[in-house]
Amino acid sequence: MRNKLLSLFALIFMLASCQLAKSPIEIASQTTRSIDTIGSITYRQSLVRGITSGFEEPIPSIRDFYYEQLAGDSVIGAKAHIYYYDSNFVVIHEDIYDGNRLIRTLKKDTTALVFDLLKYPEFRKKTFWSKLTPYTIRYMLNYAMQHKDHYKIVLGNDTTISGVVCYSLRTILEGGALIPGMNKMTLDTNRTETMYLFINKKNLYPQMVRMEIVFHSNPDKVYYSNHLFSNIRFNPILNDTLFNTSDEVTKGYKITERKPY
């Protein structure tokens, strides 16, 4: 009798676990809905880029990001202010973007690059500046779910990132490349593009993202970037001065105005 009861409890537990299990599409959908609630966000990012066949150990770069969602933007989906630090946590340059103008100030030589999207609307059709914002992540997930004929969406084992238990989700694009904001996928039979998302199980927001590109002509080389997020603040009130791209920002700088290629 005791063994029968134990078997019954085990069966009930297994059934309950199955009901609680989520499919990859459910997790992807919930992640996009979580991002839908974010009007502004700040976080620190540790970024590592490299090639797996490289001989040198990549060194992470540290950046602080301030984003405010920007409707209709075709570049990164947000106003932005980004602080780039050296190994001593000294700001070496800043990017400021308001949807119409991008200014990059370089502290070392007191120069500034200016991209004027109103003067040169062609910039909106090019990938002159790409950033992995919450809104580009949402775009890429939605695109993958809407184009299942090109994508595989796979759920792996739960993973702990910086003490946070995360879903491990990945989207795999065989034979193509997706550029967020450009509203199109480029076919490329020589390429596989994979996005790994480690999604906080409590708030359904990515704790880390890894991007990988493999060219079939040289499969031993994996080009990757790891984006680890910390100090995340959702929907903080951000002062508009953060996104000021007026000429006041570049006073004292030698200005170079960039033009589309």
Side-chain angles (χ1 to χ4, degrees):
M1 181 67 179
R2 182 171 179 272
N3 288 338
K4 287 183 178 179
L5 285 172
L6 288 173
S7 297
L8 179 61
F9 287 139
L11 179 61
I12 292 170
F13 178 78
M14 287 175 62
L15 289 172
S17 297
C18 289
Q19 290 176 349
L20 291 172
K22 296 181 184 294
S23 72
I25 295 296
E26 285 177 316
I27 293 170
S29 297
Q30 289 178 347
T31 302
T32 61
R33 289 198 294 271
S34 175
I35 294 172
D36 284 342
T37 68
I38 299 171
S40 61
I41 190 170
T42 70
Y43 55 78
R44 174 158 290 178
Q45 178 201 69
S46 174
L47 172 65
V48 178
R49 288 195 181 100
I51 306 172
T52 54
S53 61
F55 295 104
E56 296 182 4
E57 188 68 24
I59 299 173
S61 56
I62 305 298
R63 306 167 180 184
D64 281 339
F65 289 79
Y66 296 77
Y67 287 130
E68 186 172 278
Q69 188 171 12
L70 187 61
D73 173 44
S74 65
V75 180
I76 61 170
K79 295 179 182 180
H81 195 130
I82 307 169
Y83 297 91
Y84 299 76
Y85 298 99
D86 64 13
S87 57
N88 296 314
F89 274 90
V90 175
V91 176
I92 53 176
H93 62 266
E94 298 176 44
D95 282 355
I96 308 171
Y97 177 66
D98 65 357
N100 292 320
R101 207 175 190 215
L102 167 65
I103 293 176
R104 169 167 287 189
T105 56
L106 307 171
K107 307 298 183 182
K108 185 176 181 180
D109 55 6
T110 323
T111 61
L113 303 178
V114 176
F115 301 77
D116 193 324
L117 280 66
L118 291 178
K119 189 174 180 180
Y120 302 108
E122 301 95 314
F123 275 130
R124 298 189 188 277
K125 301 175 184 178
K126 298 178 180 292
T127 55
F128 75 98
W129 187 61
S130 60
K131 291 289 174 283
L132 192 71
T133 73
Y135 314 108
T136 56
I137 293 171
R138 179 178 61 188
Y139 176 89
M140 294 172 80
L141 279 175
N142 279 329
Y143 196 97
M145 289 187 286
Q146 292 163 7
H147 296 82
K148 295 175 188 174
D149 51 333
H150 291 289
Y151 280 86
K152 293 178 184 176
I153 303 178
V154 181
L155 182 63
N157 295 326
D158 289 355
T159 303
T160 300
I161 303 292
S162 301
V164 176
V165 181
C166 299
Y167 293 116
S168 297
L169 187 76
R170 70 183 186 272
T171 64
I172 305 167
L173 173 59
E174 293 274 4
L178 177 67
I179 303 171
M182 297 298 105
N183 301 312
K184 65 179 181 179
M185 181 185 73
T186 302
L187 295 178
D188 184 348
T189 56
N190 188 39
R191 178 184 179 116
T192 296
E193 186 174 279
T194 304
M195 176 171 66
Y196 295 81
L197 288 164
F198 300 91
I199 301 163
N200 186 323
K201 295 185 74 170
K202 290 185 178 179
N203 62 24
L204 293 165
Y205 184 80
Q207 193 73 29
M208 188 173 86
V209 178
R210 178 180 173 91
M211 306 294 295
E212 287 187 356
I213 298 173
V214 177
F215 296 99
H216 303 166
S217 56
N218 194 355
D220 293 334
K221 282 189 175 183
V222 179
Y223 298 83
Y224 70 88
S225 61
N226 282 344
H227 309 253
L228 177 63
F229 309 117
S230 62
N231 301 336
I232 303 171
R233 294 172 58 216
F234 297 109
N235 295 313
I237 297 173
L238 301 179
N239 195 305
D240 281 344
T241 57
L242 265 176
F243 312 113
N244 177 18
T245 62
S246 71
D247 293 339
E248 297 175 3
V249 177
T250 54
K251 278 184 179 177
Y253 286 84
K254 181 182 177 182
I255 299 170
T256 299
E257 185 178 60
R258 286 293 175 88
K259 297 179 181 180
Y261 296 114

